[in-house]
């Protein structure tokens, strides 16, 4: 099936419940890159260092990783609708509190609560969209991936527009938009059937006993370190106004969305998933290495171009994670994300530390090495992954959002 062939229902002919969930998903993914263009402003406003402000990502993704063991446990007991609403409510509360922070410590703590809410929401949103969508799962997945890409692209732009007046406004704006999403889901989404079997807290960990899934998760761990070095540390290297930094990361997000939804599936069909993944990781390593050692123009160009490679990687990793083992997709997704999100928490913490210990170039050199390590895992474990990769068809496997995210 062509990745843009969404069946008779079509991607645009969806129930209100699907649009309400997809709209809230856009805002949820916006929250990841929202703080990018205002990191220097936050540091100035709260009299904090780059390392302290980067903990906004660390606390967010550390809690997100740990929450992956909880999301299936919760949703299989209270249902998808209630899990979405619980996640949205937590985001509204903690995003609003983030805007009132009087110190960087408070802000880091509130971002942790935000991460818990976001994990509950995005890990459940795809299953809800698939269950409620018209036109089959292909239309639902494409809609969800489009929401992910749009959110990742618009997050830095919204952060820049609101953050130009005050670094606090993007947090209040997110709280407001998620409150609107809460009302829409309450009004339009009916409760869906609960799974026949409840998920235990250890099911995602047990799923990692499968060699293929474990290999995918380890490779994605190294890749995510590279990804979030770019996302969390580059704004300090750019040293631009919120508007200019937001424009750079908006262009980055647009390429991420286009290459994730449109380009990656076509490359997979032509070259195969593992070849595409290995090649894209090596190219990302080269891009990040040049980014770390170039001048201002080079940094801007390489940052934007990294969005294309990250988009390709996100799509292939998500499909491998959800197709490589015989575990139920929500369980496999939770186990995979439990591993890889620890790297998203680690990179924003270690990148400024590495700069302090050496120079501004070294964090990107380390990030280039981790991208190569991710490619090496794919190469060494190729035999374990090949059979499963050949069975995958673009548009059939699904992400969890943090395909990026998952995605």
């Amino acid at each position: 099936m062509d990745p843009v062939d969404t069946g008779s229902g079509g991607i645009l002919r969806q129930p209100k419940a699907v649009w309400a969930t997809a709209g809230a998903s856009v805002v949820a993914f916006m929250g990841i890159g929202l703080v990018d263009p205002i990191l220097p402003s936050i540091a100035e406003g709260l009299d904090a260092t780059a390392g302290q402000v980067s903990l906004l990502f660390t606390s967010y993704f550390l809690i997100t990783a740990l929450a992956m063991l909880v999301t299936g446990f919760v949703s299989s007991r209270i249902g998808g609708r209630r899990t979405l609403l619980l996640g949205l409510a937590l985001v509204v509360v903690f995003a609003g509190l983030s805007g009132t922070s009087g110190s960087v410590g408070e802000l880091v703590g509130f971002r942790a609560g935000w991460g818990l809410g976001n994990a509950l929401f995005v890990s459940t949103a795809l299953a809800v969209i698939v269950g409620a969508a018209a036109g089959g799962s292909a239309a639902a997945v494409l809609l969800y991936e489009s929401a992910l890409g749009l959110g990742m692209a618009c997050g830095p732009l919204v952060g820049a527009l609101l953050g130009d007046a005050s670094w606090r406004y993007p947090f209040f704006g997110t709280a407001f938009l998620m409150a609107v999403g809460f009302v829409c889901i309450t009004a339009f989404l009916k409760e869906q059937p609960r799974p026949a079997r409840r998920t235990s807290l250890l099911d995602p960990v047990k799923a990692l006993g499968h060699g293929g899934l474990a290999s995918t998760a380890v490779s994605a761990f190294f890749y995510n370190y590279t990804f979030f070095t770019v996302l969390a540390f580059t704004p300090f290297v750019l040293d631009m106004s919120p508007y200019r930094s937001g424009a750079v990361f908006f262009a980055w997000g647009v390429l991420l969305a286009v290459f994730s939804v449109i380009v990656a599936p076509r490359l997979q069909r032509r070259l195969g998933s593992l070849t595409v993944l290995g090649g894209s990781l090596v190219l990302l390593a080269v891009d990040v290495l040049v980014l770390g050692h170039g001048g201002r123009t080079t940094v801007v160009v390489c940052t934007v171009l990294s969005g294309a490679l990250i988009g390709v990687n996100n799509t292939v990793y998500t499909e491998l994670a959800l197709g490589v083992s015989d575990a139920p997709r929500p369980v496999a997704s939770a186990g995979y994300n439990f591993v890889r999100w620890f790297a998203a928490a680690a990179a924003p913490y270690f990148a400024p530390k590495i700069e302090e210990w050496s120079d501004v170039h070294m964090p990107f050199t380390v990030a280039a090495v981790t991208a190569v390590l991710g490619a090496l895992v794919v190469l060494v474990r190729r035999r374990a992954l090949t059979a499963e990769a050949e069975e995958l068809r673009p548009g059939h496997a699904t992400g969890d959002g943090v395909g990026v995210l998952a995605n």
Side-chain angles (χ1 to χ4, degrees):
M1 177 185 291
D2 190 279
V4 297
D5 178 9
T6 59
S8 59
I11 188 174
L12 299 179
R13 298 178 181 178
Q14 300 295 337
K16 292 179 180 179
V18 172
W19 288 116
T21 307
S25 298
V26 172
V27 182
F29 295 127
M30 280 172 50
I32 296 176
L34 184 81
V35 299
D36 252 34
I38 58 173
L39 285 175
S41 300
I42 294 174
E44 182 180 352
L46 295 178
D47 192 24
T49 65
Q52 290 173 321
V53 172
S54 293
L55 291 176
L56 296 179
F57 286 100
T58 297
S59 64
Y60 182 92
F61 287 114
L62 180 61
I63 296 301
T64 296
L66 293 172
M68 287 301 152
L69 300 180
V70 178
T71 53
F73 178 88
V74 173
S75 63
S76 66
R77 284 163 174 77
I78 68 173
R81 181 175 181 272
R82 291 179 180 176
T83 304
L84 288 180
L85 292 176
L86 175 60
L88 285 170
L90 288 173
V91 172
V92 170
V93 170
F94 284 105
L97 288 173
S98 295
T100 68
S101 300
S103 68
V104 69
E106 287 184 4
L107 184 52
V108 168
F110 293 144
R111 278 282 286 182
W114 186 343
L116 174 60
N118 222 47
L120 288 169
F121 177 84
V122 300
S123 64
T124 310
L126 177 62
V128 170
I129 290 176
V130 170
S137 62
V141 170
L142 184 55
L143 183 62
Y144 182 81
E145 293 292 341
S146 299
L148 188 157
L150 183 61
M152 292 293 287
C154 291
L157 191 61
V158 172
L161 293 174
L162 296 178
D164 190 58
S166 170
W167 65 264
R168 300 180 187 273
Y169 290 171
F171 298 112
F172 293 139
T174 300
F176 172 77
L177 290 174
M178 286 304 244
V180 173
F182 185 97
V183 172
C184 291
I185 288 178
T186 300
F188 299 123
L189 180 64
K190 297 179 181 179
E191 186 58 83
Q192 295 182 315
R194 299 180 190 180
R197 178 183 175 275
R198 292 183 174 182
T199 301
S200 77
L201 292 175
L202 293 180
D203 280 351
V205 177
K206 292 177 181 177
L208 291 169
H210 185 280
L213 182 61
S215 299
T216 303
V218 170
S219 178
F221 175 90
F222 289 121
Y223 156 67
N224 268 260
Y225 186 94
T226 307
F227 176 2
F228 285 94
T229 296
V230 174
L231 191 63
F233 190 66
T234 302
F236 294 103
V237 179
L238 288 171
D239 193 24
M240 293 178 168
S241 67
Y243 274 126
R244 291 187 176 183
S245 182
V248 170
F249 277 97
F250 173 72
W252 169 88
V254 168
L255 284 186
L256 187 153
V258 170
F259 275 73
S260 176
V261 176
I262 299 175
V263 178
R266 292 173 179 171
L267 288 176
Q268 286 175 269
R269 276 202 311 274
R270 178 167 296 186
L271 302 174
S273 294
L274 297 185
T275 300
V276 170
L277 181 59
S280 182
L281 286 169
V282 171
L283 289 175
L284 181 61
V286 173
D287 179 86
V288 171
L289 192 63
V290 174
L291 187 161
H293 292 79
R296 173 67 64 84
T297 301
T298 301
V299 171
V300 170
V301 171
C302 288
T303 299
V304 173
L305 289 178
S306 72
L309 300 170
I310 288 169
V312 170
N313 291 333
N314 284 351
T315 294
V316 181
Y317 269 121
T318 301
E319 293 189 0
L320 280 176
L322 298 181
V324 76
S325 75
D326 56 0
R329 283 184 172 183
V331 174
S333 172
Y336 161 73
N337 281 298
F338 173 69
V339 174
R340 76 183 184 107
W341 286 125
F342 277 110
Y349 174 79
F350 284 113
K353 295 291 185 184
I354 293 171
E355 181 195 17
E356 293 174 8
W357 299 333
S358 53
D359 56 43
V360 72
H361 309 298
M362 189 56 65
F364 295 100
T365 301
V366 173
V369 170
T370 57
V372 172
L373 288 174
L376 285 175
V377 172
V378 173
L379 178 63
V380 171
R381 297 290 296 169
R382 189 178 186 92
R383 178 173 293 181
L385 297 171
T386 297
E388 290 83 357
E390 288 176 350
E391 292 176 1
L392 294 175
R393 292 293 182 269
H396 285 251
T398 58
D400 55 10
V402 254
V404 238
L405 254 145
N407 286 271

